[in-house]
Amino acid sequence: GGDLLDATNTALVSTTCAATLPTGGSCTIDTTRTVLDSDPSPLVNTVTVNYNPQGFPNEIRATASDSVVVNRRAEISISKEADALSKIGDSVTYTFEICNDGASTVTRVSVTDTVLGDLTAFFPASLAPGQCVEVVRTRTVAAGDPDPLVNTVTATYTAGTSSDTATATDSTNLFQPSVDVTKNC
């Protein structure tokens, strides 16, 4: 944005334009701008050029527009750690870390776990680019749980029309307390 002939304009990459443009001449201005998460899609850009014929008060103005479709991509990752060892009746602590690895804000769709069930409400509704959030949940080991107690978390977040799903798995070894008694006489 701003005056594209101003050398201090941070959007300016290069220009062949000068204050004077000969009859039939042309020039090129190259600019750059980082797409913001708040930008609409399509992102429309319009340039306006003003020149005055030398010696005349006339102002010659022209405009041109172009647009680009902003591709918002969801890119998430999730990790999961479970207590390494537990037993029936004791709790297991599960620590999740969900991260937005992309350049757009992502919105939560669902988070489910094969042992803990629907965890959606415990995870953030949205994550800013680069943001990571830790979620801790606990569950008591039940008598019918398999040994080892393996479970997988699946998280789905979206950005615009893009969707990304990430999974992580961990397990807890369940020990079975027992006592053997032998008596010899």
Side-chain angles (χ1 to χ4, degrees), residues 44-176:
V44 178
N45 180 268
T46 301
V47 64
T48 302
V49 177
N50 291 312
Y51 274 98
N52 299 78
Q54 285 185 337
F56 296 94
N58 307 46
E59 185 171 304
I60 300 173
R61 177 179 286 193
T63 62
S65 293
D66 203 355
S67 64
V68 63
V69 174
V70 177
N71 183 13
R72 289 173 171 69
R73 245 177 62 136
E75 295 179 59
I76 62 166
S77 61
I78 192 164
S79 63
K80 175 182 187 174
E81 271 188 45
D83 291 342
L85 189 62
S86 192
K87 68 178 180 8
I88 294 170
D90 285 355
S91 65
V92 175
T93 299
Y94 299 93
T95 304
F96 305 89
E97 184 180 63
I98 185 139
C99 295
N100 179 354
D101 301 324
S104 295
T105 297
V106 293
T107 303
R108 179 191 68 215
V109 174
S110 65
V111 181
T112 57
D113 188 277
T114 56
V115 170
L116 299 170
D118 186 0
L119 299 175
T120 304
F122 301 105
F123 282 77
S126 65
L127 290 167
Q131 182 182 13
C132 293
V133 173
E134 186 176 280
V135 174
V136 177
R137 304 299 307 151
T138 59
R139 177 184 176 271
T140 302
V141 177
D145 286 344
D147 184 16
L149 180 56
V150 178
N151 61 332
T152 301
V153 63
T154 303
T156 301
Y157 277 70
T158 61
T161 59
S162 172
S163 177
D164 193 23
T165 298
T167 61
T169 300
D170 204 359
S171 65
T172 301
N173 186 21
L174 303 180
F175 64 91
Q176 311 297 324

